[in-house]
Every structure is written in C-alpha cells, then in structure tokens.
Amino acid sequence: VVVIVDTVKKVTDVMDKRVCTTFGDVVRRFAIRGGTAILLAHTNKHPSADGRPVPGGTSDLRQDADNAYTIRTISEPGAARKVVEYENIKRRGDVCPRAAFSYSTARGLTYEELLESVQHVEDDQVVALEVAADRRTDDPVIHIVRVCIHEGIVKRMDLVAATAQRSGCGRRRAEQ
C-alpha cells in the first residue's frame, strides 16, 4: 500500500516536535508492515544562500524518514517545458541522489496529457540548467548590493540591513 499525504501540515502540526514525533511513529509502524508513505511538505519562502529550498517545520519529519528530497525549478521562467530537480537531502539505502524531469507548460492540457509530457532530463542538461538557475537566484541580490554600495551604504551591517529590506530576503542570506 502506498499512501500519499499532500500536504503533511494538513494531518499533523509540523511546527510541534512532540506531535511530529508521534506522527513519525505512526508512519514508521506503517512502513514496518510493508507500507510506503510519500509525505509532501513545504519549504521556507526564502531559499538558502545557494538558492536551494529549505524544508519548513521541525527537522523531525526528515529525521524519521528513510529518504527525503527537495524539489526546485531550474528552467528559465516562461519556458515551454518546466524542468524540476529532485535532490536527496536524507538517504537511507541505495537511492538516486539527484534526478530531474521536465513537463509541458502548455495551457489546456488534460491531466493525462500533462503526465504523458513528463520526461527524464539527462545529467549534462541538468548541470547547465543549475548554473543558469544559480545565476538567476543570485543576480537580484547582488544587483541590490551593488546599488546600495553605489548609494554610499558601505558599512557591513547597514549594507546587510538595506539589502535584506530591499530584496525581501532574510538578513542571513543578505549577509552571505
């Protein structure tokens, strides 16, 4: 039996360690009996400094899971095919550390047509798309830092505060 929970926050409180632990125990008992649970959860609004998604909630879900992946879009905005990268952030057993897939973004597709449009993306294409995605992630913040410096905001903490405020990213990311 495979159970897909979309999203976990609708069945447990991902911000409460005790509740998450109890939920993890229930899922573990299910898995021990041969079941598979695919738990979908959200990431934080702001990505890490390197542009990667940061899982939200307590770390208990990941700690109790056998495997955990994050998903991020690495294709250009508005592309005819969206490319998403799955990156393994928790690994027990011999599972794929990274995989990417593309699918059509054409309007008016039926669900079946959308599923049929899914294609595996080869590693060499993924590397090129990741470089472009990382560049897109950094460019706006770097541009804001340059503008602030040009405006005379040069003291470290003033620059961090102005960058965070203008870009909407967190202070930690602005500092990095």
Side-chain angles (χ1 to χ4, degrees):
V1 174
V2 177
V3 174
I4 301 172
V5 179
D6 183 9
T7 62
V8 174
K9 75 176 189 171
K10 294 188 179 185
V11 296
T12 191
D13 183 354
V14 296
M15 299 304 285
D16 185 317
K17 289 183 77 59
R18 190 174 316 160
V19 173
C20 262
T21 298
T22 302
F23 179 74
D25 292 342
V26 171
V27 172
R28 174 59 54 204
R29 287 196 310 269
F30 173 69
I32 287 171
R33 290 181 174 89
T36 298
I38 299 173
L39 309 175
L40 304 177
H42 292 280
T43 58
N44 293 338
K45 185 187 316 182
H46 300 292
S48 66
D50 64 357
R52 302 236 184 284
V54 177
T58 68
S59 61
D60 295 86
L61 284 174
R62 282 185 315 284
Q63 290 170 355
D64 291 343
D66 291 325
N67 291 285
Y69 286 84
T70 57
I71 304 170
R72 75 173 178 145
T73 301
I74 59 173
S75 54
E76 293 285 334
R81 295 190 63 81
K82 183 174 264 192
V83 180
V84 292
E85 176 188 45
Y86 291 71
E87 183 176 24
N88 185 272
I89 60 170
K90 163 87 183 271
R91 181 175 167 168
R92 285 189 190 148
D94 187 22
V95 298
C96 185
R98 185 172 84 178
F101 300 90
S102 70
Y103 59 92
S104 175
T105 59
R107 294 174 99 52
L109 293 178
T110 66
Y111 188 70
E112 185 175 280
E113 290 169 331
L114 180 63
L115 285 177
E116 288 174 357
S117 77
V118 174
Q119 296 176 346
H120 181 260
V121 177
E122 297 299 325
D123 285 343
D124 57 336
Q125 291 176 292
V126 171
V127 171
L129 288 167
E130 278 183 321
V131 169
D134 290 343
R135 199 174 302 123
R136 283 193 313 275
T137 300
D138 287 342
D139 280 350
V141 176
I142 291 170
H143 175 74
I144 290 169
V145 169
R146 288 182 177 147
V147 168
C148 289
I149 290 170
H150 181 73
E151 291 175 1
I153 304 170
V154 293
K155 290 186 179 177
R156 182 173 162 260
M157 294 315 293
D158 293 342
L159 184 58
V160 168
T163 301
Q165 191 256 334
R166 292 179 187 191
S167 69
C169 73
R171 288 181 69 90
R172 184 179 302 146
R173 179 157 181 242
E175 186 168 11
Q176 289 172 337

